[in-house]
Amino acid sequence: MESKGWHRRGYLPHLDVSGRAQGLTFRLADSLPATVIENWRRELFMGDDHEDPKKSAELSRRIAKYEDRGRGDCLLRQDDHAEIVEDTLKRFDGERYELLEWCVMPNHVHVLTRIFSGSSMEQVVRSWKNYTAREINKLIGRSGRLWAPDYFDRLIRDEEHLGRARRYIRFNPVKAGLCSKPEDWRWSSAFSGTK
C-alpha cells in the first residue's frame, strides 16, 4: 500500500508516511463528545481557514486533559478489555510496524510507532479499532461504535521529540492518578511485571 502523505479523514489532518516515528492517540466514542471539540475549535480558530500551530497545540492539550479525566464508560479499565487492545497492538509488531511505546488508558490508547513500507497508518489503526471493537463488543454483549471515528497523530521530528513522546506516554497513567510510577501501570510498554 502506498503512503498517502498529508490527507484528511473527517476534520483532522493526518500524515501517513512509512519509516518515520509517529505518535498517535485513539479514544473510545463516549470519552469526549464531538460537540466539546467543535466548541473548542470555534473558540480557538474563530473562523480561521488555516490552523495556527500554537492554537492546534492548545486544542491537543485540552483534549488530552479531558481524556485523562476518565469520562465515559471507561471500558478499557476492565482487564479483559485492556488485554484485547494490548494483544492487538502487539500482534503485528515487527511485521507491519514497530511499536516503540504504548499505553492503554481507561478511555483512550497512546501508541508511538514506526509504520513499515507496504502498510499505512490509516490501515493499521483501522485494523486495531475494528478488531478490538468486535471483540470487546462480544464481551459486553452489544454491537455498534466503540471507538471515536478519527485518531490524532503526530510526526516525531527528531530524537529529542521522540524522548518527549516516550515520556508523555509512559507518564500518562501517573499524571491521570492511576499509578505512582510508570512501571506499575499494567497496560503499557513500561510495565515491569511479568506478562
Side-chain angles (χ1 to χ4, degrees):
M1 169 168 262
E2 188 74 25
S3 295
K4 291 183 175 182
W6 283 105
H7 67 286
R8 284 188 178 268
R9 291 187 57 238
Y11 68 90
L12 293 174
H14 295 287
L15 179 60
D16 198 333
V17 294
S18 57
R20 298 282 306 270
Q22 288 183 272
L24 65 113
T25 302
F26 55 101
R27 58 187 163 73
L28 294 174
D30 68 350
S31 66
L32 177 57
T35 54
V36 172
I37 295 174
E38 287 308 315
N39 288 338
W40 287 338
R41 288 182 68 76
R42 274 196 298 278
E43 175 190 331
L44 290 168
F45 300 107
M46 297 187 355
D48 291 345
D49 288 334
H50 66 285
E51 293 195 15
D52 180 301
K54 289 180 182 177
K55 291 178 180 180
S56 294
E58 173 60 22
L59 179 62
S60 294
R61 277 190 291 278
R62 289 181 185 190
I63 290 169
K65 188 175 180 178
Y66 195 100
E67 287 171 340
D68 288 343
R69 289 184 188 142
R71 304 286 173 95
D73 289 339
C74 293
L75 293 173
L76 305 179
R77 188 180 302 275
Q78 296 179 36
D79 288 350
D80 50 350
H81 301 168
E83 186 172 18
I84 288 170
V85 175
E86 175 188 21
D87 291 346
T88 302
L89 293 176
K90 290 178 172 181
R91 176 150 189 195
F92 292 106
D93 182 25
E95 188 176 324
R96 296 180 185 168
Y97 48 83
E98 177 185 9
L99 280 178
L100 304 171
E101 203 79 46
W102 59 271
C103 179
V104 179
M105 297 291 285
N107 64 0
H108 64 283
V109 178
H110 294 291
V111 180
L112 186 57
T113 188
R114 186 174 290 117
I115 302 296
F116 294 155
S117 181
S119 294
S120 74
M121 179 71 76
E122 182 177 346
Q123 174 189 50
V124 167
V125 174
R126 184 181 327 115
S127 71
W128 289 341
K129 290 167 75 172
N130 286 345
Y131 181 78
T132 56
R134 194 169 41 253
E135 295 303 307
I136 292 171
N137 276 335
K138 266 194 252 182
L139 283 178
I140 61 177
R142 76 172 197 197
S143 62
R145 182 174 298 280
L146 182 75
W147 298 105
D150 219 339
Y151 59 90
F152 295 88
D153 61 282
R154 171 162 272 192
L155 180 68
I156 302 301
R157 295 181 301 277
D158 53 34
E159 287 300 314
E160 183 181 333
H161 189 199
L162 179 64
R164 284 195 315 272
R166 282 184 184 275
R167 281 188 298 281
Y168 178 86
I169 292 170
R170 284 179 173 247
F171 280 90
N172 197 235
V174 175
K175 186 176 150 199
L178 300 171
C179 60
S180 59
K181 56 186 193 251
E183 302 81 35
D184 293 340
W185 187 243
R186 166 64 182 91
W187 305 111
S188 76
S189 51
F191 182 62
S192 62
T194 55
K195 292 187 182 182

